[in-house]
Structures are given as structure tokens and as C-alpha cells.
């Protein structure tokens, strides 16, 4: 395997949301793919994942979903017709077939089903749609490519909606087949998706397409991986909230992992580790401005780095107090952590005092109420919702002043490099 010649390109939903976006993607592949062997990982188109989640909700609650289903189908077929006008093209037949399978899947769902399991079987269609359209369109553009089903290569357990990868088995399968396909030409596959050994579909967590690309990069010993986004690289803040963002030309794996952990949306949190383990550089580039420098994430170190501002919305602050006014003990904490683990509630921030323990988590009404039911006999529980968690990495006095100004702060915490507040 000539690893230094393998490139991985990942394109997110915004880069395949319209016919013009697909044409732009094809231009990037032709001009930036270079002479190397190239594997493309593609997400669902536009807001398709959200639309599929809504369809699933309707089907699960036995509501009519035909109108929304037809709207989603029309969106995909319209883009396909703009790219490939022939009505009888194999691409149209394939897309029609996939939508028939989706309709059958939705029609068979009942409230007795395991919701997370049917979620994976249903929402995964978004990537199947987009990768099929991309495969056929590139072929029409005289770009020879093979469409590969990532569910047959990224092997996982049945931890629905956030499946854990069987690295050894996945690497064996990918190394067995994909290098030979790359020798022949470009390979197209889906992000976000994995599969079990008995053929069921799993997903790797929302925004998991970055992770999919990193899995293929790791298993193929790729020379580089590129994520194509609608921003000019890895920025120190979301431009929607901060008008004066700074691009990091180069940044370390460790800094990026920490930013992702705290909620930076540019890179999926699990993406960096497999790349760092094999020192595979990750480039974040703009599909709007592909000639731009972008950002390089690699094994590097800097003494001074611009503060990174990260905002997580829809947060919930929970406080647990022991009912008999004794101190919060390690045993109490163990009970709370076990409940959080069972319900798959991720802690974004935690803080304890003598008689209470507080956590900030993403708000999920169902899981919150199940957590309260589980622990209410042992703890007095208070909570606030509709909050925001602000994090400043590599803070200084000016960045702290900027972030706290005009806010009602419910909880504040700082370490040597990180400052966080939970506020209304």
C-alpha cells in the first residue's frame, strides 16, 4: 500500500446541498485531488438528516408522514435531474429504489420498536442518497469512481446512534479491498455509517462523517485528510457569534481535541485521535474558496495561541444535594456517574461543593426526567434549562471580560488554560 499517495476528502452536507454544490465538489476533486489515490467521504445533503429525524418521529408516533416524505424525495430527485437530465438514467432508478426502501422502513415502525435501533436503520438513508448521486454524477463528468458501502467496512457494536468501532476487524476489511480499488480510480463512500456483523446499520453519532473519514485514513495509512467546509479553516470562534474571528494556519492535535471536546463544531471530537496516532495531517479547507490556505492540524506546538471561544446552546444545569445534609462523598458521586453512564448523558462541565454536586449537560427532556426518576430517592435535585455554556481556551483577561459582559452567570470555573461559565 503506497500510503503517502492516498488522500481522504470529506465533504459535509453544506457542500452537497444543491446541484451547483455538486458541480463545485467535482471541480475541487478534479483540481485538488492531484495525482494521488483519492477516497471521498460524503455526508447527507443539506438538512436531510434533520428531515429524516422528523419523518422517523412521525412514523414512530403513528402519524402521517407522506407529505414530508414526498418533499424530501422531490428535493433529491430535483437535484439529480439538474445534474443528470436523462429520465431513464441508472442514477434515477437507484434513487427511486432507495426511497422505496425508506418508505417500507418507515411504514413498518411501531412504538414497540427500540427507537435508537430504528433511528440508525432510518436516518442512514441520507448518506446513501448523497453518495449514490455523487457516484453517478462524477461518472457523467468522466471521473472514474467506485461506490463503496461503508457499512460493510466500518464494523461496529450495537451501541445504536453512537456505535463503537471494531478497529481491528474494520482495518482488516478496508485493507483487504480498498487499496486495490484506489489503484483503479477514485472511491466514493458514506460518512456517519457503520455496520454490524449481521448486516444491520449503525451510526457513529451526529456529525460523525469526519470520524468516518478518519477511520478510513487510519486504516489506509493515508498521507493526508481534508475536510471541506464553508469556512476558511479552523477558526477561533463561530463567525455567527463573533465577527472578528481568527484563522489558525497551523494548530496541534491536542489543542484541536480539547476544542472539539468543549463543543467546537468544526471537527468531530473522535476525529483527531486516529489521525494523531499515525501522525496523519488534517487540513480544514473552504469549498467556497478552495484556493485559500485553510488550516493544518498536525503534531506541532506553539507557546502563544489566540483564545478560542466556544458556545454550547440548549444546556441544562443540574445540582444534586444529599438529603441528610451530609457531605457529597465518593460513593454519592459513583451513584450519580453510574446513572449518567446508563442514560448516556455526557457531562460538559462539573463542579462540587461540600453538600452538592453540579453538572452541565446537553438538554434532553426524556433523559433528564429518567435521570431524576432514578436518583430522586437519594438526592434533592434542582435543574435549570435553556442555558448556554461558554468556554474560552487559552484565555486572557480581555477574553474573560468579553465573555462575561452582560450575562447572568449561574456557574463559573477556570483551570490554567480554560475558562467556562454557564449563563442564561
Amino acid at each position: 500500500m503506497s500510503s503517502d499517495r492516498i488522500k481522504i476528502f470529506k465533504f459535509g452536507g453544506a457542500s452537497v446541498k444543491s446541484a451547483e454544490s455538486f458541480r463545485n465538489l467535482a471541480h475541487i476533486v478534479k483540481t485538488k485531488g492531484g495525482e494521488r489515490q483519492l477516497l471521498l467521504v460524503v455526508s447527507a445533503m443539506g438538512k436531510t438528516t434533520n428531515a429524516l429525524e422528523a419523518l422517523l418521529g412521525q412514523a414512530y408516533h403513528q402519524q402521517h408522514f407522506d407529505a414530508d416524505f414526498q418533499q424530501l424525495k422531490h428535493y433529491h430527485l430535483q437535484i439529480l435531474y439538474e445534474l443528470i437530465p436523462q429520465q431513464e438514467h441508472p442514477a434515477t432508478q437507484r434513487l427511486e429504489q432507495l426511497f422505496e426502501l425508506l418508505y417500507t422502513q418507515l411504514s413498518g415502525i411501531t412504538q414497540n420498536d427500540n427507537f435508537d435501533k430504528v433511528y440508525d436503520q432510518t436516518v442512514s438513508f441520507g448518506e446513501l442518497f448523497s453518495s449514490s448521486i455523487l457516484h453517478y454524477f462524477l461518472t457523467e463528468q468522466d471521473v472514474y469512481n467506485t461506490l463503496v458501502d461503508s457499512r460493510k467496512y466500518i464494523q461496529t457494536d450495537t451501541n445504536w446512534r453512537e456505535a463503537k468501532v471494531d478497529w481491528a476487524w474494520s482495518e482488516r476489511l478496508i485493507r483487504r479491498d480498498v487499496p486495490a480499488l484506489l489503484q483503479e480510480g477514485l472511491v466514493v463512500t458514506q460518512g456517519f455509517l457503520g455496520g454490524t456483523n449481521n448486516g444491520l446499520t449503525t451510526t457513529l453519532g451526529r456529525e460523525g462523517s469526519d470520524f468516518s473519514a478518519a477511520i478510513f485514513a487510519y486504516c489506509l495509512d493515508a498521507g493526508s485528510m481534508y475536510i471541506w467546509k464553508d469556512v476558511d479553516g479552523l477558526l477561533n470562534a463561530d463567525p455567527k457569534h463573533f465577527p472578528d474571528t481568527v484563522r489558525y494556519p497551523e494548530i496541534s492535535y491536542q489543542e484541536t481535541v480539547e476544542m472539539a471536546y468543549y463543543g467546537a463544531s468544526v471537527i468531530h471530537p473522535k476525529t483527531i485521535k486516529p489521525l494523531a496516532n499515525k501522525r496523519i495531517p488534517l487540513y480544514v479547507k473552504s469549498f467556497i474558496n478552495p484556493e485559500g490556505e485553510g488550516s493544518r492540524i498536525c503534531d506541532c506546538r506553539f507557546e502563544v495561541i489566540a483564545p478560542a471561544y466556544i458556545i454550547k446552546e440548549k444546556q441544562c444545569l443540574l445540582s444534586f444535594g444529599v438529603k441528610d445534609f451530609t457531605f457529597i462523598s465518593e460513593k454519592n458521586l459513583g451513584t450519580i456517574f453510574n446513572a449518567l453512564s446508563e442514560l448516556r448523558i455526557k457531562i460538559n462541565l462539573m463542579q462540587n461543593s461540600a453538600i452538592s454536586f453540579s453538572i452541565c449537560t446537553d438538554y434532553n427532556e426524556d433523559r433528564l426526567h429518567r435521570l431524576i426518576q432514578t436518583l430522586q430517592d437519594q438526592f434533592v435535585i434542582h435543574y435549570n434549562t435553556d442555558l448556554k455554556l461558554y468556554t474560552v481556551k487559552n484565555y486572557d483577561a480581555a477574553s474573560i471580560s468579553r465573555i462575561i459582559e452582560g450575562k447572568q452567570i449561574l456557574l463559573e470555573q477556570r483551570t490554567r488554560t480554560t475558562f467556562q461559565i454557564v449563563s442564561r
Side-chain angles (χ1 to χ4, degrees), residues 335 339 343 368-379 381:
T335 302
L343 292 168
L368 171 63
H369 289 306
R370 285 163 63 192
L371 179 68
I372 291 170
Q373 285 174 354
T374 303
L375 297 175
Q376 63 188 358
D377 289 343
Q378 295 160 274
F379 301 95
I381 303 171

Side-chain angles (χ1 to χ4, degrees), residues 150-155 166-179 195 216 219-220:
S150 64
R151 298 173 296 178
K152 295 180 179 175
Y153 291 96
I154 296 179
Q155 294 293 291
D166 183 333
W167 284 93
W169 187 232
S170 299
E171 186 169 9
R172 194 174 303 126
L173 293 172
I174 289 170
R175 283 177 175 269
R176 184 191 68 189
D177 295 346
V178 177
F216 277 103
C219 294
L220 292 166

